[in-house]
């Protein structure tokens, strides 16, 4: 798993920032890994929003895991269609939110690259992705940190 960090010149934001976390359930379904992601996210500041995007059929098949994840303080967003579109809209909403300094995304698909490119002009971005990561993510981030 890798974390990509878009660096800002203001170190204070990283220590005292307000963080939002977006997790694609298809990317990470393991509760212990999600718990580790939340702990790593806390290193960037206070988590003020944490959401996990779940398709309706995933909700039916992984009820126990999703319940355990929600107990970590992560809000499940159940989607019938176009989960990644909803995720992109929420990500861009937070990019314009003055109460958010850092956006952390757990995703492994390139379909969010346009939203990320726009968001990076306004916020610090951290992308946490499992093993294989599309090379195009390197156009959005500056640094890779492995966990």
């Amino acid at each position: 798993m890798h974390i990509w960090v878009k660096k800002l010149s203001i170190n204070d934001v990283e220590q005292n920032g307000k963080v939002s976390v977006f997790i694609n359930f298809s990317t990470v379904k393991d509760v212990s890994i999600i718990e580790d992601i939340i702990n790593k996210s806390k290193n960037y500041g206070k988590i003020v929003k944490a959401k996990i995007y779940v398709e309706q059929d995933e909700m039916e098949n992984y009820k126990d895991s999703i319940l355990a994840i929600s107990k970590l303080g992560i809000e499940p967003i159940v989607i019938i269609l176009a989960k990644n579109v909803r995720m992109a809209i929420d990500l861009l909403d937070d990019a314009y939110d003055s109460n958010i300094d850092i956006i952390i995304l757990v995703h492994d698909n390139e379909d969010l690259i346009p939203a990320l490119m726009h968001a990076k002009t306004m916020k610090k971005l951290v992308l946490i992705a499992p093993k294989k990561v599309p090379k195009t993510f390197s156009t959005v981030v500056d640094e890779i940190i492995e966990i």
Side-chain angles (χ1 to χ4, degrees):
M1 190 170 307
H2 297 82
I3 299 178
W4 287 271
V5 180
K6 172 72 179 162
K7 289 290 186 184
L8 290 182
S9 59
I10 306 169
N11 291 331
D12 191 47
V13 170
E14 194 166 305
Q15 295 170 353
N16 301 310
K18 295 177 192 143
V19 177
S20 63
V21 181
F22 298 98
I23 302 169
N24 181 350
F25 185 72
S26 300
T27 303
V28 180
K29 295 177 181 167
D30 186 289
V31 177
S32 63
I33 292 174
I34 291 175
E35 193 170 17
D36 188 37
I37 289 166
I38 292 300
N39 289 332
K40 294 286 184 186
S41 298
K42 289 177 182 177
N43 291 333
Y44 290 91
K46 180 181 179 183
I47 297 174
V48 294
K49 292 182 189 177
K51 298 178 181 181
I52 189 159
Y53 295 80
V54 182
E55 291 180 10
Q56 187 172 5
D57 63 332
E58 291 173 324
M59 183 69 175
E60 293 167 4
N61 296 329
Y62 295 94
K63 283 181 191 175
D64 294 339
S65 294
I66 294 166
L67 179 61
I69 291 166
S70 70
K71 288 180 180 179
L72 297 173
I74 302 169
E75 176 187 3
I77 306 294
V78 181
I79 307 294
I80 295 171
L81 296 171
K83 175 173 64 171
N84 291 336
V85 172
R86 171 68 189 270
M87 201 174 197
I89 290 168
D90 288 352
L91 179 125
L92 290 172
D93 281 347
D94 278 9
Y96 284 97
D97 186 340
S98 61
N99 293 318
I100 301 295
D101 300 308
I102 300 166
I103 297 172
I104 296 178
L105 178 69
V106 180
H107 194 64
D108 62 354
N109 193 318
E110 296 171 305
D111 54 358
L112 291 183
I113 293 290
L116 290 172
M117 290 176 69
H118 187 71
K120 85 173 187 175
T121 64
M122 296 173 275
K123 303 293 177 186
K124 178 181 178 93
L125 296 179
V126 177
L127 174 66
I128 301 175
K131 304 169 192 168
K132 188 173 181 178
V133 178
K135 291 183 181 182
T136 54
F137 279 121
S138 65
T139 63
V140 182
V141 297
D142 296 320
E143 184 180 345
I144 297 172
I145 302 169
E146 292 186 27
I147 60 169

